[in-house]
Amino acid sequence: QVQLVESGGGSVQAGGSLRLSCAASGRTFSSYAMGWFRQAPGKEREFVAAISWGGSTTYYTDSVKGRFTISRDNAKNTVYLQMNSLKPEDTAVYDCNLLPPRTTAWGTSNTLAAWGQGTLVTVSS
């Protein structure tokens, strides 16, 4: 089993920045792609960004392109999400998960581990 622990959330004003972290343990972290997801109040969880096991391939949902950057440090078993130019519509609980290596499988329906507790991001206008 793999355990995922997210951190780094908080409350910021629109235009601000936050850096989220996701620490994984219990499985060979570097063998998997990793993704960030979010769930806003009253909405379903949605895919935000993903990164390949080696870090050479990344993918973002359209609404965060140019503002968010996903990265990973396999030595630390940690994946990051740098969020800049935050908007009120980015308000959500953010969490991470393992993903299959095929980029075509990156999405909410193909996660490979139990969800962690997530970290809350609140953006005020």
Side-chain angles (χ1 to χ4, degrees), residues 22-24 29 72-80:
C22 168
F29 177 78
R72 66 189 294 163
D73 185 338
N74 289 340
K76 296 182 178 180
N77 283 4
T78 301
V79 62
Y80 305 97

Side-chain angles (χ1 to χ4, degrees), residues 25 27 75 88:
S25 62
R27 190 177 281 185

Side-chain angles (χ1 to χ4, degrees), residues 4-7 93-95 115-120:
L4 301 166
V5 179
E6 300 90 351
S7 61
V93 174
Y94 286 71
D95 44 23
W115 295 100
Q117 85 288 350
T119 187
L120 176 63

